[in-house]
Amino acid sequence: CTTDECINRSCVHTPRDGAECAPSTNPCIKYRCDNTVCRTIYLTIPCLSDDNLCTLDVCRFGQCRHLIQNGAPCPTDGNQCTDDRCNSTGHCAHPNRSGACNDDNYCTENDVCDQGYCVGNNVDCNDDSACTLDLGCNPATGCVYDWVDCDDGDACTIDACDPANGQCSHTY
């Protein structure tokens, strides 16, 4: 850890503070000169990944450590009724969650998560009109209705349906 040279027949030993004094094959350790002594420096830097998204890969005390990140987000399982979080064993877990969700079904409403599934209450497709036929529900579009046909074929009448009783009327 010194630069040694002879000047005017005298040996001079100049300290090389901070210089690398020995090569290291360990990415978590460097050897640096401190005054005239070669010292081991433990680095606190990212190190080689273990490819586990639930660990933080960092040098500690001269070794690459894979520290568990309990509670950190991890890749989704595609289920909106689970939480995607790293657990205390360093694995990605998907425990069930509660709360609102959307089952993308137009025939349900008030969707909530229940034991890992998004469930909703069936919508009421009864429109309380006697002038429509309530044909049910299509999950992609919602309630399906068909109008009562009151057309009498006479172009000179105004055809109408009474929503209270479903009776057709034809007025001139």
Side-chain angles (χ1 to χ4, degrees), residues 12-35:
V12 177
H13 309 286
T14 307
R16 298 181 332 155
D17 282 345
E20 185 174 320
C21 52
S24 174
T25 58
N26 182 338
C28 294
I29 294 176
K30 293 285 183 198
Y31 298 102
R32 298 277 185 219
C33 293
D34 178 16
N35 199 0

Side-chain angles (χ1 to χ4, degrees), residues 59-153:
C59 291
R60 294 278 166 97
F61 306 107
Q63 293 183 2
C64 186
R65 305 281 185 188
H66 307 289
L67 307 175
I68 293 173
Q69 299 298 296
N70 189 23
C74 62
T76 181
D77 63 356
N79 182 345
Q80 61 183 314
C81 288
T82 60
D83 283 326
D84 306 307
R85 299 272 177 215
C86 296
N87 64 20
S88 61
T89 63
H91 297 94
C92 189
H94 309 282
N96 295 339
R97 71 166 190 84
S98 60
C101 59
N102 183 352
D103 65 3
D104 293 321
N105 182 339
Y106 285 94
C107 296
T108 62
E109 60 188 358
N110 302 319
D111 301 337
V112 293
C113 292
D114 182 23
Q115 297 181 16
Y117 296 95
C118 185
V119 295
N121 299 320
N122 290 334
V123 296
D124 181 3
C125 287
N126 182 356
D127 64 357
D128 293 322
S129 172
C131 292
T132 60
L133 300 173
D134 301 333
L135 301 177
C137 193
N138 178 330
T141 59
C143 293
V144 179
Y145 306 101
D146 197 8
W147 290 97
V148 170
D149 186 6
C150 286
D151 186 0
D152 63 0

Side-chain angles (χ1 to χ4, degrees), residues 129-132 148-150 159-170:
S129 172
C131 292
T132 60
V148 170
D149 186 6
C150 286
D159 304 318
C161 180
D162 183 343
N165 60 25
Q167 297 295 313
C168 292
S169 63
H170 314 283

